[in-house]
Amino acid sequence: MTDHSHYVGRFAPSPTGPLHFGSLVAALGSYLDARSAGGQWLIRVEDLDPPRAVRGADRHILKQLSDHSLVSDQPVIYQSQRLHRFDDALSCLNDKGHLYACNCPRRSYLGLYPGTCRTQTTSETQPSALRFRVSETTIQQKDLAQGAVTWVYGKDFGDFIVRRKDGLHAYQLAVVTDDIAQKVTRIVRGADLLSATPMQTCLYHALDVQSPETLHLPMVLGRDGQKLSKQTHAPTINAAVAADNLNQALAFLNQPIIASDNPKIILGAAVKNWRTDRIPKLMGKTL
Ligand code: GLU
């Protein structure tokens, strides 16, 4: 059981474009869950991948969040300023024998990585990706919205990249390193990231840290049944109607809406009303 006096939650946007309704749902859900437990709520900018980052998107996102009265309890951290931490985590994993060098091109296998280079070490003769050698055969998680989930190694997940061949740290490594550093106790995010959980759990095991609880909110689907995303040019949320946006997000999460034009008042009431058992137990839900 999580000790709620130490609850730390977070919202961790990648600055690849402004917030759309799907990301507002994740921000609001993580905020309400943290606040209703008397916990802290943090914002972390995941700007790990310079080619994908859009200039100014970080400031735009933070402004959109504050226009909805969603403000981090601690200074916002940027992953691009924490690369030394990710290197430390890589060294630690390497010292424990969890990593191997891999040069298999993505096109050389279909779907899951089949573990071709698994018996290699990390002594590289050429620039290589570093992969994590999974030792677990299954990973189980009792997700607070999606219920009990079991992932099988080789079927649902495989050995995964922690440092890319171009030297960039991979999302799985960075997210776990930062969630540990920020003492995050519960991760609330969109169900599109549920499948990342087994790999992240393996990293927690390897680093001897208890993995956080998870609550994966249904993804917001457009009329075409696809997840709203920056890649599919989901519309940017309009801060001029922040109260309406918050109420729409509350309705999406099956929480009572609040008759007010003031985002602060809406959030205050929504924290009191928040019930995780009302969240639709779905991977995705159409708007
Ligand atoms: N940065 C990730 C994204 O924007 C979210 C990471 C997470 O919540 O674990 O999709």
Side-chain angles (χ1 to χ4, degrees), residues 10 12-14 46 171 175 189 193:
R10 51 50 161 198
S14 304
E46 301 209 318
Y171 155 69
V175 82
R189 61 186 174 192
L193 288 165

mmCIF file of all heavy atoms in Angstrom, residues 10 12-14 46 171 175 189 193, ligand 1:
data_model
loop_
_atom_site.group_PDB
_atom_site.id
_atom_site.type_symbol
_atom_site.label_atom_id
_atom_site.label_comp_id
_atom_site.label_asym_id
_atom_site.label_seq_id
_atom_site.Cartn_x
_atom_site.Cartn_y
_atom_site.Cartn_z
ATOM 1 N N ARG A 10 2.731 13.065 -10.973
ATOM 2 C CA ARG A 10 3.354 13.963 -11.971
ATOM 3 C C ARG A 10 2.615 13.896 -13.290
ATOM 4 O O ARG A 10 1.890 12.932 -13.597
ATOM 5 C CB ARG A 10 4.838 13.642 -12.122
ATOM 6 C CG ARG A 10 5.301 12.206 -12.369
ATOM 7 C CD ARG A 10 4.643 11.489 -13.426
ATOM 8 N NE ARG A 10 5.324 10.327 -13.938
ATOM 9 C CZ ARG A 10 5.022 9.782 -15.119
ATOM 10 N NH1 ARG A 10 4.053 10.251 -15.864
ATOM 11 N NH2 ARG A 10 5.653 8.710 -15.547
ATOM 12 N N ALA A 12 3.935 14.463 -17.281
ATOM 13 C CA ALA A 12 5.253 14.502 -17.935
ATOM 14 C C ALA A 12 5.120 14.672 -19.451
ATOM 15 O O ALA A 12 5.374 13.741 -20.218
ATOM 16 C CB ALA A 12 6.023 13.221 -17.603
ATOM 17 N N PRO A 13 4.707 15.861 -19.901
ATOM 18 C CA PRO A 13 4.507 16.032 -21.354
ATOM 19 C C PRO A 13 5.812 16.079 -22.137
ATOM 20 O O PRO A 13 6.831 16.568 -21.646
ATOM 21 C CB PRO A 13 3.801 17.400 -21.440
ATOM 22 C CG PRO A 13 4.256 18.147 -20.217
ATOM 23 C CD PRO A 13 4.447 17.094 -19.141
ATOM 24 N N SER A 14 5.769 15.570 -23.357
ATOM 25 C CA SER A 14 6.884 15.740 -24.297
ATOM 26 C C SER A 14 6.565 17.003 -25.102
ATOM 27 O O SER A 14 5.442 17.136 -25.596
ATOM 28 C CB SER A 14 6.974 14.546 -25.251
ATOM 29 O OG SER A 14 7.098 13.358 -24.508
ATOM 30 N N GLU A 46 9.539 16.366 -20.812
ATOM 31 C CA GLU A 46 10.336 15.245 -21.329
ATOM 32 C C GLU A 46 10.884 15.604 -22.711
ATOM 33 O O GLU A 46 10.431 15.104 -23.741
ATOM 34 C CB GLU A 46 9.492 13.970 -21.313
ATOM 35 C CG GLU A 46 9.036 13.674 -19.879
ATOM 36 C CD GLU A 46 8.829 12.212 -19.562
ATOM 37 O OE1 GLU A 46 8.266 11.490 -20.397
ATOM 38 O OE2 GLU A 46 9.225 11.801 -18.454
ATOM 39 N N TYR A 171 13.341 6.742 -23.787
ATOM 40 C CA TYR A 171 12.249 7.146 -22.893
ATOM 41 C C TYR A 171 12.161 6.265 -21.648
ATOM 42 O O TYR A 171 12.039 6.760 -20.527
ATOM 43 C CB TYR A 171 10.929 7.133 -23.691
ATOM 44 C CG TYR A 171 9.697 6.943 -22.840
ATOM 45 C CD1 TYR A 171 9.279 7.946 -21.969
ATOM 46 C CD2 TYR A 171 8.967 5.754 -22.887
ATOM 47 C CE1 TYR A 171 8.162 7.758 -21.168
ATOM 48 C CE2 TYR A 171 7.856 5.571 -22.090
ATOM 49 C CZ TYR A 171 7.456 6.571 -21.231
ATOM 50 O OH TYR A 171 6.360 6.381 -20.423
ATOM 51 N N VAL A 175 12.388 8.025 -18.031
ATOM 52 C CA VAL A 175 11.173 8.175 -17.230
ATOM 53 C C VAL A 175 11.345 7.489 -15.867
ATOM 54 O O VAL A 175 10.968 8.032 -14.824
ATOM 55 C CB VAL A 175 9.942 7.665 -18.032
ATOM 56 C CG1 VAL A 175 9.771 6.186 -17.965
ATOM 57 C CG2 VAL A 175 8.679 8.337 -17.607
ATOM 58 N N ARG A 189 -1.477 8.295 -16.083
ATOM 59 C CA ARG A 189 -1.203 8.731 -17.455
ATOM 60 C C ARG A 189 -2.161 8.002 -18.392
ATOM 61 O O ARG A 189 -2.975 7.178 -17.949
ATOM 62 C CB ARG A 189 0.260 8.434 -17.821
ATOM 63 C CG ARG A 189 0.605 6.972 -17.754
ATOM 64 C CD ARG A 189 2.101 6.696 -17.970
ATOM 65 N NE ARG A 189 2.384 5.286 -17.750
ATOM 66 C CZ ARG A 189 3.592 4.774 -17.627
ATOM 67 N NH1 ARG A 189 4.658 5.547 -17.713
ATOM 68 N NH2 ARG A 189 3.766 3.480 -17.430
ATOM 69 N N LEU A 193 0.220 4.273 -22.689
ATOM 70 C CA LEU A 193 1.513 3.938 -22.078
ATOM 71 C C LEU A 193 1.438 2.715 -21.167
ATOM 72 O O LEU A 193 2.435 2.349 -20.535
ATOM 73 C CB LEU A 193 2.062 5.160 -21.325
ATOM 74 C CG LEU A 193 2.541 6.268 -22.286
ATOM 75 C CD1 LEU A 193 2.722 7.582 -21.565
ATOM 76 C CD2 LEU A 193 3.835 5.852 -22.972
HETATM 77 N N1 GLU B 1 6.372 12.027 -22.063
HETATM 78 C C1 GLU B 1 5.397 11.013 -22.298
HETATM 79 C C2 GLU B 1 4.378 11.502 -23.308
HETATM 80 O O1 GLU B 1 4.192 12.711 -23.453
HETATM 81 C C3 GLU B 1 4.658 10.589 -21.045
HETATM 82 C C4 GLU B 1 5.505 9.849 -20.109
HETATM 83 C C5 GLU B 1 4.774 9.209 -18.941
HETATM 84 O O2 GLU B 1 3.764 9.744 -18.467
HETATM 85 O O3 GLU B 1 5.264 8.191 -18.476
HETATM 86 O O4 GLU B 1 3.742 10.686 -23.943
#
